[in-house]
């Protein structure tokens, strides 16, 4: 969840078939995809500023609770492929792997805030003042140059590169397994935690003696919604003509304007409002019959978000000559989203946790999906894995603007 004064993400990892044993490694093979799905919710108050959200489970870590220890070694330092084949909420899915467990490194930054909670415990916590400062920005440019210099050099002697200095939360090594290494903490009644723990395909995330179906991160942030609501040119009695204006630098997607008054529900839907553009509508033209409200709200969001081609985690994976990934370097992470689609189980978890707040409140609520490029900019992420896997990252950042005052 990326929420008002908080950016939140949860990483759950799912493996659809048993991990292959090391003995299965061959002289010629293709890496397995590791599908990474991040989802979250950013809550804005009526004035467009961050709003309050429900408290987090008590077992999540916070800056005042740091503890020591070190993992076996960062994933970014694993051997490069030299040709010898030996969430916010984020979910990882795999249809198989030559690694057991699957190692994952994760680094998360927050451009407009400071990390405030996470799980499991991180290996390094970088203060926002340093991670977002000019020295860190310069250090990232040097790091990008070092990564580029390694391209095409599949030499295991190259060693590790340093972590990204602009990232506040660093997990050098998370290990993904089909069963937990440690007993999970009590959820404390957090229904969304209990639900995602029930994802049958989800891999367990293990680090520092802790296990969970996900990894989680959150930060304080001062972001405001890019949307503004104003009256249209033909506004008048019985003709509430409104215009939603996107003042941001990125498009907003999957927009749902929901207005409840006197037992009636009005729903306006816009697949996209480009940056600097607007969408106008008459409230009276969008009255929804009681029997159709679910389909027009939660059902519409479901249709937008669920991947129609792959609504569930794949059970197997087949390569052809065009999609075989080989010779990749674990020191080079994936940092850009490839898309936004989620699996049905993930979308249902969002709707169970947030549906009443999205669509059930009196007055006016606006729900929309943030552009993936915006997420990459304001909440940059680096995902590492070994040479036997490759990352495919999807990010679905939802936002809810509550108690909107109709002008």
């Amino acid at each position: 969840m990326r929420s008002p004064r908080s950016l939140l993400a949860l990483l759950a990892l799912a493996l659809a078939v048993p991990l292959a044993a090391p003995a299965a490694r061959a002289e010629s093979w293709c890496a397995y995809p590791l599908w990474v799905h991040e989802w979250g919710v950013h809550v804005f108050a009526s004035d467009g500023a961050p709003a309050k959200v429900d408290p987090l489970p008590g077992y999540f870590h916070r800056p005042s609770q740091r503890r020591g220890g070190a993992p076996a070694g960062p994933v970014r330092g694993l051997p490069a492929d030299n040709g010898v084949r030996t969430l916010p909420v984020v979910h990882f899915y795999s249809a198989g792997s030559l690694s057991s467990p699957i190692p994952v490194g994760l680094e998360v930054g927050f451009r407009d805030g400071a990390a405030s909670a996470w799980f499991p415990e991180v290996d390094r916590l970088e203060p926002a003042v340093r991670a977002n400062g000019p020295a860190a920005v310069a250090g990232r440019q040097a790091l990008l140059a070092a990564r580029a210099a390694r391209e095409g050099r599949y030499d295991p002697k190259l060693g590790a590169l340093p972590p990204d200095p602009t990232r506040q939360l660093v997990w050098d090594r998370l290990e993904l397994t089909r069963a937990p290494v440690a007993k999970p903490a009590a959820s404390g009644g957090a229904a969304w935690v209990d639900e995602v723990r029930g994802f049958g395909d989800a891999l367990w995330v293990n680090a520092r003696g802790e296990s969970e179906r996900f990894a989680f991160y959150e930060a304080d942030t001062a972001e405001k919604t890019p949307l503004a609501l104003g009256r249209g040119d033909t506004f008048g009695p019985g003709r509430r003509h409104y215009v939603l204006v996107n003042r941001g630098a990125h498009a907003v997607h999957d927009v749902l304007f929901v207005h409840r008054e006197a037992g009636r529900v009005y729903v306006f839907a816009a697949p996209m409002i480009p940056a600097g553009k607007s969408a106008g509508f008459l409230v009276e033209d969008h009255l929804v019959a009681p029997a159709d409200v679910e389909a027009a709200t939660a059902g519409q969001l479901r249709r937008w978000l669920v991947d129609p081609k792959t609504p569930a985690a794949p059970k197997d994976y087949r390569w052809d000559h065009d999609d075989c990934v080989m010779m990749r370097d674990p020191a080079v992470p994936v940092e850009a989203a490839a898309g936004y689609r989620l699996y049905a189980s993930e979308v249902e978890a969002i709707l169970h946790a947030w549906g009443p707040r999205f669509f059930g409140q009196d007055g006016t609520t606006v729900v929309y999906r943030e552009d993936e490029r915006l997420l990459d900019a304001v909440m940059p992420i680096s995902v590492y894995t070994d040479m036997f896997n490759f990352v495919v990252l999807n990010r679905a950042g939802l936002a809810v603007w509550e108690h909107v005052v109709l002008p």
Side-chain angles (χ1 to χ4, degrees), residues 340-401:
Y340 68 90
R341 295 282 193 174
L342 301 175
Y343 299 139
S345 59
E346 298 165 332
V347 175
E348 293 309 311
I350 294 172
L351 291 173
H352 293 159
W354 289 94
R357 199 158 178 176
F358 285 173
F359 309 124
Q361 300 191 79
D362 289 336
T364 304
T365 306
V366 179
V367 178
Y368 59 94
R369 179 174 59 81
E370 297 173 309
D371 193 84
E372 303 98 286
R373 300 287 80 82
L374 172 66
L375 295 176
D376 291 343
V378 301
M379 194 167 62
I381 186 173
S382 303
V383 186
Y384 303 82
T385 189
D386 64 8
M387 64 181 174
F388 303 112
N389 303 277
F390 68 94
V391 171
V392 181
L393 175 62
N394 280 15
R395 310 187 79 178
L398 301 178
V400 54
W401 181 16

Side-chain angles (χ1 to χ4, degrees), residues 227-253:
L227 294 180
L229 183 68
R231 290 187 177 186
D233 294 338
T234 65
F235 188 95
R239 186 180 177 84
R240 288 178 290 181
H241 179 197
Y242 289 118
V243 178
L244 270 172
V245 181
N246 178 9
R247 303 166 300 180
H250 298 82
V252 296
H253 307 267

Side-chain angles (χ1 to χ4, degrees), residues 62-93:
R62 291 158 176 85
S64 60
Q65 301 170 335
R66 292 282 288 124
R67 72 184 196 221
V75 171
R76 62 181 181 275
L78 291 174
D81 186 347
N82 61 359
V84 178
R85 316 301 180 195
T86 64
L87 234 272
V89 177
V90 182
H91 306 267
F92 295 79
Y93 299 84

